[in-house]
Amino acid sequence: MKIRVINRSSHPLPAYETESSAGMDLRAFLEEGITLRPLERKIIPTGLFMELPDGYEAQIRPRSGLAFKSGITVLNSPGTIDADYRGEIKVLLINFSDTEFTVNNGDRIAQMVISRHETAGWEEAAELTDTTRGAGGYGHTGV
Ligand SMILES: O=c1ccn([C@H]2C[C@H](O)[C@@H](COP(=O)(O)OP(=O)(O)OP(=O)(O)O)O2)c(=O)[nH]1
Ligand SMILES: [Mg+2]
């Protein structure tokens, strides 16, 4: 599928890094580096604007390497980009490490997965059908 996009950054469009990657890496578009102190959160611009077809969303997810090596993750993971959103794609990062971390222009800070989604309606009911699980959850089947 093709997605209409405006790229106001100085970086190439996001791309799949390997043939079968699910996510395209997103790069920070910054005039100067942004430093996150421990537990600080900041919104990082990408310079990208896009027009997803109806029935699609984009999910903004952390990169595992950045999370493991530096404690940097996407606070609202997975971030949701709605098909009717026309603003700049931004990434909300938080620093879970005990040292400060600087995001520089062009850094690959997160990944974006394009997904289909349903638009559901409601059918109100007085009762729900029985199942074996019933209301069991939160580990009720054991470890
Ligand atoms: O990581 C994100 C999450 C959201 N957005 C943009 C696209 C999305 O369509 C819009 C709204 O996001 P969301 O619905 O998560 O935020 P909200 O707090 O519910 O705001 P709103 O009331 O505008 O929906 O913000 C981003 O650029 N990055
Ligand atoms: Mg919303």
Side-chain angles (χ1 to χ4, degrees):
M1 67 180 291
K2 300 269 191 208
I3 300 168
R4 285 166 67 86
V5 64
I6 297 172
N7 183 3
R8 298 209 171 114
S9 81
S10 46
H11 311 305
L13 283 171
Y16 298 106
E17 299 290 323
T18 66
E19 204 178 337
S20 299
S21 287
M24 297 182 243
D25 286 349
L26 293 175
R27 291 179 187 272
F29 178 49
L30 302 171
E31 283 180 7
E32 56 187 31
I34 290 183
T35 297
L36 298 169
R37 297 189 306 272
L39 292 182
E40 196 175 18
R41 57 186 187 266
K42 283 190 177 160
I43 289 178
I44 314 293
T46 65
L48 298 171
F49 301 72
M50 65 184 184
E51 191 173 324
L52 287 165
D54 275 347
Y56 288 84
E57 57 149 344
Q59 298 174 6
I60 310 295
R61 303 187 189 173
R63 294 186 66 209
S64 62
L66 207 52
F68 180 61
K69 289 178 198 150
S70 306
I72 300 296
T73 191
V74 176
L75 179 57
N76 57 326
S77 182
T80 304
I81 310 293
D82 301 288
D84 55 1
Y85 181 69
R86 296 291 179 268
E88 182 176 6
I89 308 305
K90 294 184 177 169
V91 179
L92 176 51
L93 292 182
I94 186 164
N95 179 1
F96 278 126
S97 78
D98 54 9
T99 55
E100 65 177 35
F101 180 88
T102 299
V103 178
N104 292 303
N105 184 40
D107 285 355
R108 288 182 290 148
I109 50 172
Q111 58 186 320
M112 180 171 72
V113 175
I114 307 295
S115 290
R116 281 179 189 272
H117 71 86
E118 299 291 335
T119 300
W122 295 105
E123 179 192 328
E124 288 200 73
E127 287 170 15
L128 304 177
T129 54
D130 280 338
T131 66
T132 308
R133 172 182 289 277
Y138 305 96
H140 92 295
T141 58
V143 284

